[in-house]
Amino acid sequence: MRPRPLTLAAITRRERHQAVGAVIDAIMDAGGWLVDSTQFSNLAMALRFVLPADGLAGWAAALAAAGVRLDEDSRARLAAHAAGAGTPEAEVPAALNLTFLHDEPDLRQMVPAVPG
């Protein structure tokens, strides 16, 4: 049975592309890899990734240094998971919902007309 992903949420005021790049860099630097991502216009993004258990603390510190702030519940879940993760080389599946705080208008999506 596959373990349930560690679900986390974060917010940032950084420019969207810079913030996403910082999150992905932090994942790679911690020895993990990106599994999937879904962008919800320029308001939010969901990222699924895998990290080694011993990379959780370093990943969270890299996010904070990059201006991407985990919410209080996420920090508590991350600390609890890191404390009981088992072996340091264990893989931890995780999902991060990243919300962008800015004054930019929402991105316009061009949807083609469906014939018929």
Side-chain angles (χ1 to χ4, degrees):
M1 179 162 56
R2 293 188 341 189
R4 291 182 56 121
L6 176 63
T7 56
L8 307 167
I11 59 171
T12 186
R13 292 193 180 277
R14 287 190 68 182
E15 192 273 329
R16 178 172 45 97
H17 295 99
Q18 292 175 351
V20 171
V23 171
I24 293 171
D25 288 346
I27 292 168
M28 300 302 174
D29 291 345
W33 62 92
L34 185 65
V35 175
D36 188 27
S37 66
T38 304
Q39 182 176 337
F40 302 100
S41 191
N42 68 346
L43 304 175
M45 185 162 206
L47 299 116
R48 289 186 318 121
F49 55 96
V50 177
L51 288 175
D54 61 354
L56 290 172
W59 174 78
L63 286 187
V68 177
R69 212 179 60 194
L70 290 170
D71 66 13
E72 189 174 316
D73 289 341
S74 295
R75 288 192 303 267
R77 276 194 297 276
L78 189 66
H81 196 79
T87 62
E89 60 275 355
E91 294 176 349
V92 178
L96 176 68
N97 181 21
L98 180 57
T99 302
F100 306 104
L101 303 176
H102 53 68
D103 294 330
E104 298 172 15
D106 198 8
L107 296 175
R108 304 273 308 163
Q109 300 293 326
M110 299 305 293
V111 179
V114 177

